[in-house]
Amino acid sequence: MFGSMKSGANAYAKVGVETGVMAASPHKLIVMLYDGAIVAVRNGLTHMKAGNIPAKGAAISKAIQIVENGLRASLDREVGGQIAEGLDSLYEYMGRRLLTANLNNQPEVLEEVLRLLSELRDTWNAIGATPPPAAEQSNAPVLASA
């Protein structure tokens, strides 16, 4: 009569993700891309170790798509200069490594990419946690409590 509990949960999760994306700042969107790529690589690693070839391929393909069509495509090479160029090269490298890991069933290569993604995500989070310099902050008056 009604859909399964799993399909209901999946629909709820999809709505939550879509709502999160629509409400997210550009900085948060990049964090979400890193999170998605990390989850996809971990899933690929789990499926690789279990010998589940179709699921491994799907997970690694998803990771490649996030890296290439999400992270790499979001780079602003004009504004980002050398940093954007370096990230572009690193994302290209990760895409090649993911493909190699998939084709050759190399869990150590997936672990390498997982480390790179995790380090980049942590760095990106640290950048986002840094308050802007005083000159960039609002000149609005501060209310003192009594």
Side-chain angles (χ1 to χ4, degrees):
M1 184 164 130
F2 296 107
S4 71
M5 187 65 112
K6 184 176 181 181
S7 66
N10 287 341
Y12 179 79
K14 183 177 180 189
V15 168
V17 168
E18 289 173 357
T19 302
V21 166
M22 292 173 59
S25 68
H27 182 273
K28 180 64 177 167
L29 288 173
I30 299 299
V31 172
M32 292 171 80
L33 287 169
Y34 281 126
D35 287 342
I38 288 167
V39 167
V41 172
R42 283 185 180 146
N43 288 340
L45 189 57
T46 299
H47 293 305
M48 183 182 286
K49 289 179 178 179
N52 187 344
I53 302 304
K56 172 205 73 163
I60 295 173
S61 292
K62 182 176 182 176
I64 292 170
Q65 289 296 316
I66 293 169
V67 169
E68 290 290 330
N69 298 327
L71 293 167
R72 194 166 179 211
S74 70
L75 292 172
D76 186 338
R77 286 157 188 84
E78 289 180 25
V79 174
Q82 289 181 329
I83 293 172
E85 289 176 23
L87 284 171
D88 184 57
S89 295
L90 186 56
Y91 293 150
E92 180 183 8
Y93 171 79
M94 285 191 279
R96 284 193 321 265
R97 296 298 283 163
L98 287 166
L99 182 60
T100 298
N102 192 19
L103 294 174
N104 300 322
N105 285 317
Q106 295 176 301
E108 67 279 2
V109 175
L110 290 182
E111 290 166 355
E112 172 196 1
V113 173
L114 188 57
R115 279 190 306 276
L116 290 169
L117 288 167
S118 296
E119 289 173 10
L120 287 168
R121 183 194 184 282
D122 292 346
T123 301
W124 194 254
N125 272 332
I127 292 168
T130 305
E136 294 179 21
Q137 292 179 359
S138 169
N139 290 330
V142 177
L143 298 176
S145 61

